Structure formats: C-alpha cells, structure tokens
Amino acid sequence: MSERLAVRKTYKLYIAGAFPRSESGRTYVVNDAKGAFAANAAKASRKDVRDAVAAARKAFTGWSARTAYNRAQILYRIAEMLEGRRDQFITEVRHSGASKTHAAAQVDAAIDRWVWYAGWADKISAVTGAANPVTGPYFNFSTPEPTGVVAIAAPDDPLLGLVSVLAPAITTGNTTIVIASEPAPLPAITLAEVLATSDLPGGVVNILTGHRTELTPWLASHMDVNAIDLTGVAPDQAPELERAAAGNLKRVLRSAGADWAAAPGIDRMTAFLETKTVWHPVGI
C-alpha cells in the first residue's frame, strides 16, 4: 500500500458564522519561528472588511438584547471547547516560538480568561451602574449599555493576547471585527472554529487575517463601526487611524506594552460601554 497523504488544512476567514475565503482570492505565507513554512492564511480585502462590519451590525441587536446570564453561559461554553482542543492550541502557539511549557501555560491562561469574563458578564452592570441621589420626587438611574460594533487590531500574542482584547468586548454585549496577528494568525482561526461550535451567534465575532496596515484604515474610517481598539497597531501608525476614527466620533482605545499574563481588571469591559441615565417619577 502507498503511504497515505495528510489532509492539509485550509485556513480561512470567519465572517457571519461562516468560513469564506477572501473575496480577493489572495493568501499569504505564514512561517513558524524558525522560518519554516507553516500554512497559507487568507489575505482579507476591503470587501471582506465591509462584509464583516455588516455581519457585526446585523448581530448586534440580538446579542446586546440577550440576558447577561445567557452571555455568561456562552462564554463559559467557549472555555469548555478550548479545553477540549488544548493540545491543538499548544501546537499552534508553539509556531510563534514559544517553548512547549510556555505555550501550555499560555493556552491554560487563555481558557481561564474566558471563564473569568464569563463570571463578569452578569456583574459588570451592577458594578458600573448606579442609583443616583437627586432632590425631588424622582428616581435617577445610570445603567451601562454596549457601544455597538467594535473593531479590534489584536496584538501579536497569538492566543492569550487575542482573548484578552476580544472577550471583554463581547462580554458586555458588543459585536466585533478582529484583525488577527499578522505573523501568527493560526490560533485565531482555530479559535474561530471553537466560536462556531459554542452557541455564539454568527456575526458576534468576525475574524480577518491579512496585512494589518491594509485593513485597519478601512475599519478606522468605516461609518458603521462605533469603536476601535488599536492595541496591535504600531505606535507610529496609530495617530493617523485616530484621525480617521474621528469621522464618526468612534471610541478609540490605545494600550501599548500590555502584560497579558497580569490580572485583566474591568477596564477593557468599561472601555466599550456607554452610560444611559434615566429619570423616573416616584410612584409611577
């Protein structure tokens, strides 16, 4: 018998719960830390950005309307699915140059981070909301609401960094378009496969691979994107993207030099929340 040929994996984009190839048909070579060929990844285009934004906007109404407890259940399910594919993620994180021990620690931390944010989903409103004291026969309540569609330039930490910027945005009811790490996109696409089988509605997370400098300007200037996280953007490129984001008064988050292994806190959840204050007469 002839030796069996392995079935090579085709890495695609993740848009609206499906796995399309790039509209442009382009790919780029992903090498491991030693410079050896690892895979071909889809190279997203401006049209793919538009499709991802449309999918995120369509999904926003349903996702933001879900109960916080239900969002927590789905985030916990993501952690369960990651745990089941732990070995695969360790292998893909090692492509970025991590040792086996370090890669295992990174994957375990990423799983634990999903659980941590799942626990916060039904608590963040109580922590950031308030019943405000006022003079008069009124109740005055401040309640947090999701900002809307959030674009995220993920850091080059291929899994823990990715989870650390993605999870807080969807925990609070936002929908997202993520530009994965350019040199190490494989864990992001495998994460997309986890998301697709974890009860997360299609369009809540959309993951694009490709050249960050090509894709971020279209997201920064897109009028249907409400906020943008520039964590993975080079410092010299951020000012121009901030100027583009000002076109529709996007919220902009810049955070350089983050320690992804540190306790995350709630700052990234509150970064993409709006506060609505409501007055209500007493007795009605």
Side-chain angles (χ1 to χ4, degrees):
M1 295 178 63
S2 60
E3 184 178 349
R4 179 181 177 274
L5 296 177
V7 178
R8 296 182 61 183
K9 183 172 181 177
T10 303
Y11 289 87
K12 302 178 184 178
L13 309 177
Y14 182 58
I15 300 174
F19 292 90
R21 291 177 171 83
S22 172
E23 170 273 338
S24 66
R26 301 177 301 169
T27 61
Y28 72 102
V29 173
V30 177
N31 294 319
D32 64 19
K34 297 180 180 179
F37 174 82
N40 287 312
K43 188 176 178 182
S45 67
R46 180 183 180 184
K47 175 64 164 56
D48 297 316
V49 168
R50 293 202 304 266
D51 290 345
V53 173
R57 176 58 63 193
K58 183 177 181 181
F60 175 70
T61 301
W63 181 241
S64 60
R66 287 181 180 242
T67 65
Y69 179 70
N70 183 237
R71 289 200 298 269
Q73 290 176 306
I74 292 173
L75 265 64
Y76 188 83
R77 176 62 176 163
I78 293 171
E80 290 180 336
M81 300 295 289
L82 269 168
E83 185 77 40
R85 299 178 70 164
R86 180 177 179 272
D87 291 344
Q88 180 182 359
F89 277 102
I90 290 173
T91 299
E92 293 187 345
V93 171
R94 291 188 69 189
H95 282 312
S96 64
S99 67
K100 184 175 182 180
T101 300
H102 181 65
Q106 291 283 296
V107 173
D108 290 343
I111 296 168
D112 293 346
R113 191 138 301 173
W114 279 113
V115 175
W116 192 86
Y117 279 112
W120 267 102
D122 61 354
K123 301 173 183 66
I124 189 67
S125 180
V127 171
T128 58
N132 307 310
V134 294
T135 302
Y138 304 100
F139 293 116
N140 183 266
F141 302 104
S142 293
T143 59
E145 293 186 343
T147 295
V149 174
V150 179
I152 299 172
D156 284 334
D157 186 303
L159 184 62
L160 180 57
L162 170 65
V163 170
S164 297
V165 295
L166 170 60
I170 66 172
T171 296
T172 52
N174 298 290
T175 55
T176 58
I177 305 98
V178 180
I179 301 176
S181 165
E182 186 173 334
L186 305 190
I189 297 304
T190 302
L191 177 62
E193 296 173 359
V194 167
L195 300 177
T197 55
S198 62
D199 302 325
L200 188 75
V204 173
V205 175
N206 303 275
I207 297 178
L208 306 178
T209 55
H211 294 337
R212 192 179 288 143
T213 55
E214 180 181 347
L215 301 175
T216 49
W218 300 120
L219 285 167
S221 61
H222 200 296
M223 299 303 285
D224 204 24
V225 174
N226 303 111
I228 187 166
D229 181 345
L230 301 178
T231 296
V233 172
D236 62 324
Q237 296 166 1
E240 183 60 34
L241 296 173
E242 287 182 321
R243 285 190 286 270
N248 71 334
L249 303 179
K250 287 181 182 66
R251 285 196 172 207
V252 177
L253 177 63
R254 289 179 66 178
S255 57
D259 179 7
W260 303 119
I266 66 171
D267 290 349
R268 285 189 172 272
M269 287 186 284
T270 59
F272 301 123
L273 284 174
E274 308 287 344
T275 300
K276 179 178 71 176
T277 300
V278 177
W279 294 74
H280 195 285
V282 173
I284 296 180

